[in-house]
Amino acid sequence: MTIRIGIAGITGRMGRLLAEEVCAAGADLSGGIGLDAPDERNFELFADIMALAAASDAVLDFTHASLAQSHAAALAVSGKAWVLGTTGLSAADEAAVAAAATKIPVVYASNFSPGVNLVLALAERMGAALPDDAYDAEIVEMHHRQKVDAPSGTAIAMGRAVAKGRGVALEDVTESGRHGHTGARKTGAIGFAALRGGQVVGEHSLIFAAASEQIVLTHRAFDRRVFATGAVRAALWAANRPPRLYSMMDVLGMA
């Protein structure tokens, strides 16, 4: 049976790429929600997330963090799979996503690129292997000037991977936005620097700096389509899965 995929935010830049990739994957584009689209559109616009879910087997959601909790509540009762790629979620937003995942399959990822997820797996292993009293971990990311959250979701995911490898909570060791006389760097800290400019799709570097060596793990995205292709893959994978909070690692068979 052909999987029906709906897109929340279908009229946005990412939404249009997702629509193209849904069709390229041989799935059925059920429609979406978003701003008014030109008359020549070839998809149906629904009034709200509930109506979209009713017409879909899986919903792709790349909208805004402010919608995460309302979408979680609506989709939790829909029985449909939810693939969430919105970044900048708060702790309360993520708690709502986790609650929804007790009722429906949810694939929540900061980045749907296979390459980034391989980098995250390596970041965790490096965090475990390189002692935090000898190797300072720093994460540098750059995105286009329109990006609204910083650090990026992918940068935070990198930090969480390193922290997991080290057996600590990222929130306890984060250093971000250094300015002025900050004092010496704290041992075990994970630092973040966010750059914004132009139309950079996404660049992330994880740096482990020691007294005698430096290791840099870098991923660069050149086309947003890599995220759309991965998200559609996740939607096809998640449809009809049992309720649970999944990651892109699960989709790639790496969990």
Side-chain angles (χ1 to χ4, degrees):
M1 184 180 71
T2 302
I3 301 297
R4 302 170 301 162
I5 300 177
I7 302 170
I10 194 169
T11 56
R13 179 166 52 180
M14 189 64 182
R16 292 184 180 278
L17 281 177
L18 289 167
E20 292 175 8
E21 291 304 307
V22 167
C23 297
D28 182 9
L29 177 61
S30 56
I33 55 174
L35 302 175
D36 289 338
D39 291 338
E40 65 268 18
R41 70 174 186 268
N42 57 355
F43 55 83
E44 182 176 356
L45 273 180
F46 290 88
D48 54 42
I49 193 75
M50 285 294 290
L52 176 61
S56 309
D57 299 306
V59 174
L60 289 165
D61 187 351
F62 282 73
T63 52
H64 191 273
S66 62
L67 299 173
Q69 293 188 43
S70 61
H71 282 190
L75 289 166
V77 299
S78 74
K80 308 300 175 65
W82 183 23
V83 176
L84 178 62
T86 302
T87 60
L89 270 59
S90 66
D93 296 333
E94 292 192 337
V97 173
T102 65
K103 301 182 182 300
I104 59 170
V106 178
V107 180
Y108 171 41
S110 59
N111 195 305
F112 287 89
S113 155
V116 162
N117 283 275
L118 287 168
V119 167
L120 295 178
L122 289 170
E124 182 178 339
R125 295 185 66 180
M126 293 170 76
L130 303 174
D132 64 1
D133 60 348
Y135 289 82
D136 297 326
E138 293 284 316
I139 297 164
V140 181
E141 54 101 345
M142 184 169 186
H143 283 83
H144 50 88
R145 67 195 315 273
Q146 293 89 359
K147 188 165 179 61
V148 298
D149 57 309
S152 70
T154 301
I156 293 171
M158 278 185 171
R160 285 178 173 169
V162 175
K164 184 178 179 181
R166 290 179 169 180
V168 298
L170 178 61
E171 294 75 14
D172 295 337
V173 295
T174 294
E175 282 192 2
S176 185
R178 299 186 184 103
H179 179 74
H181 296 280
T182 60
R185 189 186 195 282
K186 298 182 180 68
T187 298
I190 298 176
F192 291 87
L195 311 180
R196 297 290 178 265
Q199 294 302 315
V200 176
V201 173
E203 297 182 2
H204 299 84
S205 291
L206 169 59
I207 304 165
F208 286 96
S212 56
E213 67 175 351
Q214 180 173 296
I215 308 162
V216 182
L217 192 60
T218 297
H219 180 275
R220 293 185 179 92
F222 303 114
D223 190 333
R224 288 178 179 82
R225 192 170 297 276
V226 69
F227 311 134
T229 303
V232 172
R233 177 177 177 180
L236 294 170
W237 180 91
N240 303 314
R241 294 268 172 180
R244 207 186 103 188
L245 183 59
Y246 299 99
S247 71
M248 194 60 185
M249 297 288 196
D250 294 295
V251 177
L252 296 173
M254 297 168 53

